[in-house]
Amino acid sequence: MSFYMRTANGRVAQRSRASMRLATGIILAGYPLGALLTLNSSLAGDGSGAFALNLTGLAIIAIAIFAFFYIAPSYMQRIVGEQLCELDDLERDLRQKAYAFAYHLLTGLVASAIFYLAVANDDTRLTLWAPDSYTHWNTIFWGVLLYCFTLPTAYLAWTMPDIAHEFGEDELEAEPVRKPGVRWWLWGLIIAGGIGGFILARTIT
Amino acid sequence: MSSPIYNRLPVLRAERGLSRKALADSVGVNFQTIGYLERGDYSPSLELALKLSEYFELPVEMIFSLKPFEPLSRIANQRDQ
């Protein structure tokens, strides 16, 4: 699951491989780090220490989200998020590889997390931490979503050869401008999901 | 692991004075795809290989090969001798 954000002029935003590696690294490492700091800020007490820790965590999360919006209109994100009919041979091939990698990694992470939760909830002698509040689960949900969106792109950022420097400005400028289309079904799905989640949350509480 | 597929795309493109962009538009792919093909980082699908063959009006085996191509200068030299 991923998406691609078309720029206002319809061109694919040019991003170097190094910047893509950095941005995906910030997202994948920054979000969990920020979340850990924010969720555990209470361990620093009730004073300014906890506040500073909370603020630092939120700042790191914000940087991770900004990094995602940096990669969202890139060529690599286009490969993983654009409609399939818009992609050529190579891009479809790369998308398959990126999704396969992301699937393997995500299933591994989910299996490990479930195993950990099972142990944490079952064995009271170990006193392991387990999510127990809405804030915890909310943080995990957005983290998983961010990982779903970023992992395929991160794979491409670390495996695709960098050939951008081989193209002259004239070639990059000559890229066809395509008027961005509105994917109503996607927006419908997002809004329906939001409404559904809201109703579910209201019903449960 | 699949063996690399060698190609003569840079030579054919240079002969015709084509930019990667122009060739890409002609066969309906992204111009970066032509770059990856020329570098040998990507092996084309049968469909793309046939489209390129049709575009250059050459048999597929003259554009793509499982063995490295002999330099054209050497072929021309041998022909002259």
Side-chain angles (χ1 to χ4, degrees):
Chain A
M1 182 174 76
S2 194
F3 77 94
Y4 160 62
M5 197 170 75
R6 290 197 186 105
T7 52
N9 62 10
R11 286 203 172 98
V12 179
Q14 298 301 321
R15 306 275 189 256
S16 70
R17 188 175 61 169
S19 69
M20 288 297 290
R21 284 180 176 182
L22 183 67
T24 51
I26 286 171
I27 298 165
L28 296 176
Y31 186 86
L33 178 69
L36 279 174
L37 286 177
T38 304
L39 294 179
N40 294 305
S41 60
S42 57
L43 295 177
D46 291 332
S48 57
F51 178 72
L53 209 60
N54 196 11
L55 209 62
T56 310
L58 288 175
I60 295 172
I61 289 173
I63 291 168
I65 291 167
F66 277 124
F68 177 72
F69 282 101
Y70 174 78
I71 68 165
S74 67
Y75 177 58
M76 290 176 189
Q77 190 67 23
R78 179 179 174 273
I79 290 173
V80 298
E82 181 60 286
Q83 295 173 74
L84 204 59
C85 59
E86 298 283 339
L87 302 180
D88 68 24
D89 268 17
L90 167 68
E91 292 161 348
R92 287 180 191 202
D93 192 43
L94 288 171
R95 176 187 273 201
Q96 272 189 340
K97 286 178 184 167
Y99 273 112
F101 167 80
Y103 170 79
H104 285 300
L105 197 62
L106 265 178
T107 47
L109 285 173
V110 168
S112 307
I114 289 172
F115 178 73
Y116 172 82
L117 285 175
V119 174
N121 283 307
D122 184 50
D123 197 339
T124 50
R125 288 166 299 175
L126 292 172
T127 61
L128 292 170
W129 175 86
D132 58 0
S133 68
Y134 172 76
T135 314
H136 293 161
W137 285 112
N138 191 35
T139 311
I140 291 169
F141 169 76
W142 288 108
V144 170
L145 206 62
L146 205 59
Y147 263 58
C148 288
F149 289 157
T150 311
L151 276 176
T153 319
Y155 171 83
L156 294 179
W158 287 92
T159 56
M160 263 178 86
D162 194 10
I163 63 164
H165 60 275
E166 293 179 5
F167 298 100
E169 284 295 316
D170 52 332
E171 265 181 313
L172 295 174
E173 283 299 314
E175 189 190 341
V177 177
R178 190 174 165 282
K179 198 177 174 190
V182 181
R183 282 180 276 179
W184 296 109
W185 63 270
L186 184 61
W187 286 109
L189 201 66
I190 291 168
I191 292 165
I195 294 168
F198 179 75
I199 292 168
L200 199 65
R202 297 289 292 180
T203 313
I204 291 168
T205 56
Chain B
M1 192 171 161
S2 59
S3 56
I5 294 180
Y6 301 90
N7 68 75
R8 276 190 174 130
L9 286 178
V11 177
L12 294 170
R13 203 164 54 75
E15 274 178 0
R16 287 159 176 80
L18 280 170
S19 69
R20 275 174 286 216
K21 177 80 183 59
L23 177 58
D25 287 345
S26 304
V27 293
V29 296
N30 190 300
F31 67 98
Q32 296 205 34
T33 299
I34 300 295
Y36 285 109
L37 273 175
E38 289 185 357
R39 282 167 56 101
D41 287 329
Y42 170 63
S43 301
S45 66
L46 181 60
E47 184 190 354
L48 181 56
L50 289 172
K51 276 183 183 173
L52 287 163
S53 159
E54 190 181 12
Y55 179 78
F56 287 117
E57 295 176 337
L58 289 169
V60 176
E61 63 272 21
M62 281 196 73
I63 306 174
F64 298 100
S65 170
L66 290 170
K67 292 173 189 168
F69 284 107
E70 208 173 335
L72 288 175
S73 55
R74 191 180 298 162
I75 295 171
N77 189 35
Q78 283 169 356
R79 193 172 294 169
D80 288 345
Q81 287 172 357

